[in-house]
């Protein structure tokens, strides 16, 4: 029993964080939002770090790591508000394909030439980085209606696949929900950070607004929500990785806790920014909108609450002090 | 990240479970906050000690079992699973004990830890004063050095169990010219020393949970000072770290409450509000989250890490969770929530628990103060104007 990341896992996460903060700052988000051309070097950098093959077995040219590492990196993708389909491709699509025994084409995924846009019955649309059938509040999230996906849309020479196949599969749903939860804690961390930095800089009544308790306490409450959502996400990743029968309940718990923390932090961050937070100019809105989108994707609040309810009140999940890791 | 127990840990759990099932009183004890209940709880401390369960993490030489923090968590889980009573000596074993372990001399460890683990000496914490609550650096009670003794004069208040306990640990101003955090010293004293007057204070629920202590030239040997004169503030902050960060409220307590809440919900499902149903589900989730976090803190400490300001997050989380679980229970009970005993004679433990849960956000450093600490030390917000 050791509820800690290994040094290797932490080093990996730090290197991803450093890479993204160096190459994928808010200016990239602004540029893409203004319909500027995508810089292929960013994706290539992720590929070069081996991240597209993170979960691909070594025999197929990947790193052969597990969902715990993937969740840790998904949180970094959330922190950076990453506008590349790394999570869907490598942390949702790949493990699902592996679970289906589908290993053809994994080499292309590892090489970064094949991106995956997983479709599932829980999601009425697919975020494939390409579609324009529906417009998301998140300007960097391109959506295609799921039924339309049956006619294959090849994006910029990169095949996006997986749709239709994943229909109602629970494992795929759990992967999508878990990785959304992981991104949400990263997004929440980033929003809290932006609000804290703003609160240190902005002065009113002759002092930084961050010196007012009304501001401090709101931000502290976000910190509580985020720090107590994180271990739930890691625990869910371990449960899904280990194939526990209870994994679905733990994934739903993670999605719920992470969504609630992100929603609270988004609202608080706006409030702390005052009218600045209500502008398009302050980058906060990218993180906030991604959070809103991910809160509803891969099962909304009601869906996940119901799954936990079924397990806890329904009695299928053993509860009580002696069942911490049931 | 390895979230499975070893065979050894499972065997330990089985051992604790068997002992608890055989020894935990079948009927709940009378509340710890009155003489009769206090005596019952002290009796229970001694029963625990007879099984060598007083404080499992301490070295065997001090009445412990030399176990690690994961085993401590397993012990606590089984303790609460079995419905073990509140620990009369919680201020000793969870707060003072670890502090003595860190700052005490060998002589002090030998002298104080074993009787603590064995439930022979029950401890009260005497920090707060009428003018020094949240602002503990405003402490005024004095300890004046006179040869090989300190002479203590002043007043402490809100000292839990001090009406009945044997010894106290307090913080006193030893440097008369000092102000605020400087010049304070951490001193252990016999509550039966001449010159100490205890005045029990009646709490919200009507019982005597805590007491005021008046010191009138109380003589305490200098060897009862912990970590040296003038070190009081640093020592107290370490104690507060144990209190908030790990020991005082182990997760088993809240997981047990969440489980009872689920059972209560089932009995009241036909007339429960949908919001209560969600609150019950969330209670399970929050208690679990608290447990995961505690396992993470334990792993960190076992790897040589320390509890820092994040202890404040912990304190906010468990105290607000406890209050919200009991509030939900009161809602589910409806009209029966007001009864001290149900019509079948059972004590309404939800009411008692709800009342007690209202003190959680106040004691061990109020949650407002914890939010200040979180904002300033974890998030790095400025201190100016903090009040
Ligand atoms: C059940 C119970 C058991 C206790 N047991 C013990 C014990 O065993 N030993 C012991 O020494 N003490 C004990 N205490 C006392 C406890 O530590 C104090 O109550 C606590 O430190 C708060 O101090 P206070 O009561 O003087 O409140 P105050 O400090 O007067 O606070 C009143 C209100 O003002 C707020 N406030 C104060 N300062 C600030 C600030 N800077 N920013 C924002 N808000 C602020 C507080 O949060 C609180 O809401 C116990 C208290 C209770 C309720």
């Amino acid at each position: 029993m050791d509820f800690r990341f290994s040094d290797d896992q932490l080093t990996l996460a730090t290197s991803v964080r450093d890479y993204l903060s160096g190459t994928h700052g808010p200016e990239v988000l602004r540029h893409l939002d203004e319909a500027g051309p995508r810089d292929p070097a960013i994706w290539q950098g992720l590929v070069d770090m081996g991240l597209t093959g993170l979960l691909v077995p070594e025999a197929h040219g990947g790193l052969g790591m597990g969902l715990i590492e993937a969740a840790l990196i998904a949180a970094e993708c959330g922190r950076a508000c990453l506008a590349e389909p790394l999570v869907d491709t490598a942390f949702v699509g790949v493990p699902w394909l592996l679970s289906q025994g589908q290993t053809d084409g994994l080499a292309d995924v590892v090489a970064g030439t094949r991106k995956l846009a997983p479709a599932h019955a829980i999601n009425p649309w697919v975020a494939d980085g390409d579609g324009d059938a529906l417009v998301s509040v998140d300007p960097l999230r391109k959506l295609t209606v799921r039924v339309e996906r049956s006619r294959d849309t090849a994006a910029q020479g990169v095949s996006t696949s997986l749709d239709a196949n994943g229909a109602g599969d629970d494992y795929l749903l759990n992967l999508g929900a878990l990785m959304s939860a992981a991104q949400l804690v990263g997004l929440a961390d980033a929003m809290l950070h932006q609000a804290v930095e703003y609160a240190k800089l902005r002065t009113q009544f002759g002092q930084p607004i961050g010196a007012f308790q009304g501001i401090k306490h709101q931000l502290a409450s976000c910190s509580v929500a985020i720090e107590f959502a994180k271990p739930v996400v890691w625990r869910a990743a371990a449960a899904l990785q280990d194939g526990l029968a209870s994994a679905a309940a733990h994934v739903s718990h993670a999605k719920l806790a992470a969504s609630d923390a992100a929603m609270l932090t988004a609202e608080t961050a706006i409030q702390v920014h005052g009218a600045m937070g209500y502008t398009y100019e302050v980058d906060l809105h990218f993180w906030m909108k991604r959070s809103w989108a991910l809160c509803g994707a891969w099962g909304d609040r009601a869906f996940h609450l119901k799954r936990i309810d079924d397990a806890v009140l329904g009695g299928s999940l053993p509860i009580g002090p002696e069942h911490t890791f049931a | 990240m390895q979230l499975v127990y070893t065979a050894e840990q499972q065997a330990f759990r089985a051992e604790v479970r068997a002992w608890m099932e055989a020894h935990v009183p079948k009927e709940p004890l009378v509340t710890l906050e009155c003489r009769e209940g206090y005596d019952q709880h002290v009796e229970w401390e001694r029963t625990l000690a007879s099984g060598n369960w007083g404080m499992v993490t301490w070295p065997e030489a001090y009445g412990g079992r030399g176990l690690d923090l994961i085993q401590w968590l397993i012990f606590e889980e089984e303790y609460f699973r079995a419905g073990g009573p509140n620990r009369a000596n919680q201020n000793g074993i969870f707060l003072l004990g670890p502090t003595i372990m860190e700052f005490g001399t060998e002589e002090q460890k030998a002298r104080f830890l074993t009787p603590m683990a064995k439930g022979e000496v029950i401890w009260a914490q005497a920090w707060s004063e009428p003018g020094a609550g949240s602002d503990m650096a405003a402490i005024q009670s004095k300890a004046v050095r006179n040869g090989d003794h300190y002479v203590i004069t002043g007043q402490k208040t809100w000292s839990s169990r001090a009406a009945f306990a044997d010894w106290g640990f307090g913080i006193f101003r030893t440097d008369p010219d000092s102000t605020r955090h400087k010049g304070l010293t951490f001193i252990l004293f016999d509550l039966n020393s001449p010159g100490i007057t205890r005045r029990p204070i009646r709490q919200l629920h009507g019982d005597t949970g805590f007491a005021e202590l008046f010191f009138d030239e109380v003589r305490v040997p200098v060897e009862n000072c912990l970590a040296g004169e003038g070190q009081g503030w640093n020592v107290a902050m370490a104690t507060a770290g144990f209190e908030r960060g790990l020991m005082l409220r182990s997760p088993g307590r809240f997981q047990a409450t969440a489980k009872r809440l689920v059972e209560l919900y089932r009995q009241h499902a036909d007339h429960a509000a949908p919001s209560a149903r969600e609150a019950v589900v969330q209670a399970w989730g929050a208690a679990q989250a608290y447990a995961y976090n505690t396992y993470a803190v334990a792993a960190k400490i076992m790897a040589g890490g320390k509890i820092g300001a994040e202890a404040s997050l912990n304190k906010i989380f468990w105290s607000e969770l406890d209050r919200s679980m009991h509030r939900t229970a009161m809602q589910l009970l409806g009209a029966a929530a007001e009864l001290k005993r149900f019509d079948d004679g059972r004590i309404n433990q939800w009411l008692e628990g709800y009342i007690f849960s209202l003190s959680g956000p106040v004691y061990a450093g109020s949650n407002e103060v914890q939010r200040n600490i979180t904002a300033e030390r974890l998030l790095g917000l400025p201190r100016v104007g903090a009040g």
Side-chain angles (χ1 to χ4, degrees):
Chain A
M1 178 59 62
D2 187 4
F3 205 123
R4 251 179 339 138
F5 293 107
S6 68
D7 289 343
D8 286 349
Q9 288 169 333
L10 293 173
T11 307
L12 177 66
T14 307
S15 65
V16 174
R17 185 188 297 195
D18 291 346
Y19 172 74
L20 290 174
S21 65
T23 56
H24 190 277
E27 63 290 345
V28 172
L29 302 176
R30 278 182 240 128
H31 170 80
L32 289 174
D33 189 23
E34 285 151 16
R38 190 167 287 275
D39 175 3
I42 294 176
W43 176 253
Q44 194 56 45
L46 297 168
V47 174
D48 293 345
M49 291 176 84
L51 299 180
T52 43
L54 189 88
L55 298 178
V56 174
E58 288 174 61
H60 293 279
L63 298 177
M65 292 192 188
L67 295 178
I68 295 174
E69 287 87 357
L72 201 51
I73 295 170
E76 295 307 326
C77 297
R79 187 188 311 282
C81 201
L82 184 63
E84 300 288 341
L86 178 67
V87 175
D88 282 355
T89 296
F91 307 155
V92 180
V94 165
W96 187 74
L97 285 180
L98 286 169
S99 75
Q100 302 295 303
Q102 294 182 37
T103 51
D104 324 339
L106 282 184
D108 294 338
V109 172
V110 177
T113 50
R114 183 172 173 226
K115 299 175 185 173
L116 307 173
H120 189 280
I122 194 86
N123 294 320
W125 36 79
V126 181
D128 62 359
D130 180 42
D132 58 5
L134 292 159
V135 181
S136 170
V137 63
D138 176 353
L140 305 180
R141 205 172 136 87
K142 305 290 177 218
L143 303 176
T144 304
V145 179
R146 193 156 44 90
V147 284
E148 288 177 12
R149 297 271 323 154
S150 43
R151 38 177 194 84
D152 199 281
T153 50
Q156 298 149 8
V158 175
S159 74
T160 57
S161 55
L162 249 183
D163 30 311
N165 300 343
D169 184 87
D170 264 1
Y171 184 57
L172 180 58
L173 167 63
N174 286 332
L175 287 166
L178 170 67
M179 294 305 161
S180 301
Q183 291 175 84
L184 282 162
V185 292
L187 285 155
D189 254 349
M191 291 188 286
L192 177 59
H193 178 73
Q194 289 168 47
V196 165
E197 290 309 303
Y198 186 77
K200 288 190 211 162
L201 287 178
R202 167 73 174 165
T203 60
Q204 281 293 275
F205 300 95
Q207 63 175 30
I209 56 165
F212 292 112
Q213 282 195 349
I215 298 288
K216 280 184 176 163
H217 288 195
Q218 291 192 57
L219 293 172
S221 294
C222 295
S223 201
V224 173
I226 296 169
E227 295 310 319
F228 280 90
K230 284 178 187 169
V232 179
V233 176
W234 314 140
R235 191 272 191 273
L240 197 58
Q241 172 73 37
D242 295 346
L244 296 195
S246 58
H250 296 301
V251 166
S252 286
H253 184 197
K255 181 87 195 308
L256 194 68
S259 299
D260 287 354
M263 290 301 285
L264 172 72
T265 309
E267 289 176 6
T268 306
I270 280 229
Q271 185 65 20
V272 167
H273 277 80
M276 284 303 282
Y278 203 71
T279 65
Y280 212 89
E281 184 190 332
V282 168
D283 299 316
L284 175 67
H285 76 98
F286 289 114
W287 276 260
M288 198 156 54
K289 291 167 180 172
R290 178 71 51 81
S291 302
W292 296 341
L294 289 182
C295 280
W298 295 103
D300 60 13
R301 199 172 185 286
F303 175 84
H304 288 292
L305 191 61
K306 169 90 170 51
R307 280 213 312 181
I308 310 172
D309 185 312
D310 287 345
V312 171
L313 291 176
S316 61
L317 183 71
I319 63 172
E322 74 279 26
H323 293 300
T324 302
F325 292 101
Chain B
M1 186 149 307
Q2 185 60 260
L3 304 186
V4 285
Y5 297 102
T6 62
E8 194 194 346
Q9 288 164 339
Q10 286 171 358
F12 176 67
R13 182 186 292 286
E15 183 191 348
V16 183
R17 183 169 300 179
W19 194 90
M20 291 297 159
E21 282 178 355
H23 292 86
V24 166
K26 298 285 169 274
E27 289 300 312
L29 304 185
V30 174
T31 167
L32 181 50
E33 321 287 23
C34 68
R35 181 83 245 179
E36 184 194 0
Y38 175 84
D39 290 343
Q40 290 182 1
H41 282 80
V42 172
E43 189 54 38
W44 165 245
E45 286 290 329
R46 298 190 180 151
T47 306
L48 268 180
S50 72
N52 203 15
W53 297 113
M55 194 54 195
V56 296
T57 52
W58 293 1
E60 291 175 31
Y62 303 134
R65 291 177 171 238
L67 303 183
D68 65 27
L69 286 175
I70 299 301
Q71 288 164 307
W72 173 69
L73 282 167
I74 293 170
F75 168 80
E76 290 278 305
E77 288 173 350
E78 291 301 320
Y79 189 89
F80 285 105
R81 173 186 176 275
N86 287 334
R87 299 293 301 269
N89 216 4
Q90 57 173 303
N91 287 350
I93 54 178
F94 296 145
L95 309 188
L96 180 61
T99 314
I100 292 182
M101 209 73 83
E102 187 165 334
F103 296 97
T105 61
E106 287 311 312
E107 194 273 329
Q108 287 173 326
K109 289 181 196 171
R111 181 173 162 212
F112 294 117
L113 293 177
T114 309
M116 199 185 287
K118 294 204 173 303
E120 289 161 7
V121 175
I122 305 295
W123 288 81
Q125 177 187 20
W127 292 9
S128 304
E129 295 183 4
S134 300
D135 185 12
M136 211 174 73
I139 280 177
Q140 286 181 357
S141 294
K142 285 197 233 343
V144 178
R145 180 76 182 256
N146 183 348
D148 56 1
H149 278 73
Y150 287 110
V151 179
I152 301 181
T153 305
Q155 183 186 352
K156 295 285 177 183
T157 190
W158 317 132
S159 185
S160 296
R161 288 169 290 285
F164 315 117
D166 305 302
W167 274 67
F169 56 101
I171 304 156
F172 301 91
R173 199 162 287 285
T174 38
D175 176 355
D177 301 323
S178 66
T179 53
R180 310 290 302 158
H181 314 81
K182 303 212 174 67
L184 297 170
T185 301
F186 199 106
I187 297 174
L188 318 181
F189 53 91
D190 186 339
L191 274 164
N192 291 317
S193 308
I196 295 184
T197 306
R198 318 184 196 192
R199 195 179 72 81
I201 302 172
R202 205 168 169 217
Q203 292 183 328
L204 199 56
H205 43 63
D207 291 316
T208 302
F210 42 39
E212 261 178 315
L213 297 172
F214 298 91
F215 297 78
D216 182 13
E217 305 206 339
V218 177
R219 285 169 61 80
V220 178
V222 283
E223 63 261 25
N224 288 10
C225 143
L226 197 63
E229 204 170 289
Q231 295 303 310
W233 184 263
N234 294 338
V235 182
M237 288 305 105
T239 311
F242 298 124
E243 181 173 25
R244 294 168 196 154
L246 189 66
M247 293 254 150
L248 183 67
R249 294 288 176 251
S250 80
R253 177 186 180 114
F254 305 110
Q255 291 168 299
T257 305
K259 183 177 180 175
R260 285 199 299 126
L261 188 59
V262 165
E263 283 153 12
L264 186 74
Y265 178 82
R266 290 199 181 114
Q267 291 157 19
H268 294 267
D270 56 340
H271 61 89
S275 61
R277 183 173 185 122
E278 175 171 352
V280 171
V281 173
Q282 294 273 19
W284 168 82
Q288 284 291 108
Y290 183 63
Y292 305 151
N293 189 64
T294 307
Y295 270 87
V297 173
K300 178 180 163 187
I301 295 175
M302 284 165 68
K306 286 218 175 284
I307 306 178
E310 68 274 13
S312 294
L313 297 173
N314 233 38
K315 201 272 132 160
I316 296 168
F317 193 82
W318 64 248
S319 57
E320 295 179 4
L321 164 62
D322 198 39
R323 186 174 57 183
S324 92
M325 287 197 289
H326 285 92
R327 184 197 308 125
T328 302
M330 295 287 277
Q331 288 167 353
L332 288 170
L333 286 171
E338 72 167 320
L339 298 177
K340 293 189 84 167
R341 281 180 186 273
F342 296 121
D343 37 18
D344 61 6
R346 277 178 310 125
I347 293 174
N348 182 356
Q349 289 190 319
W350 289 112
L351 174 64
E352 283 188 1
Y354 178 59
I355 291 177
F356 184 64
S357 78
L358 298 175
S359 68
V362 174
Y363 68 75
S366 81
N367 286 12
E368 287 70 31
V369 170
Q370 302 315 312
R371 283 186 164 83
N372 291 346
I373 295 173
T374 300
E376 290 163 13
R377 303 216 202 120
L378 289 178
L379 300 179
L381 289 168
R383 305 189 68 148
V384 276

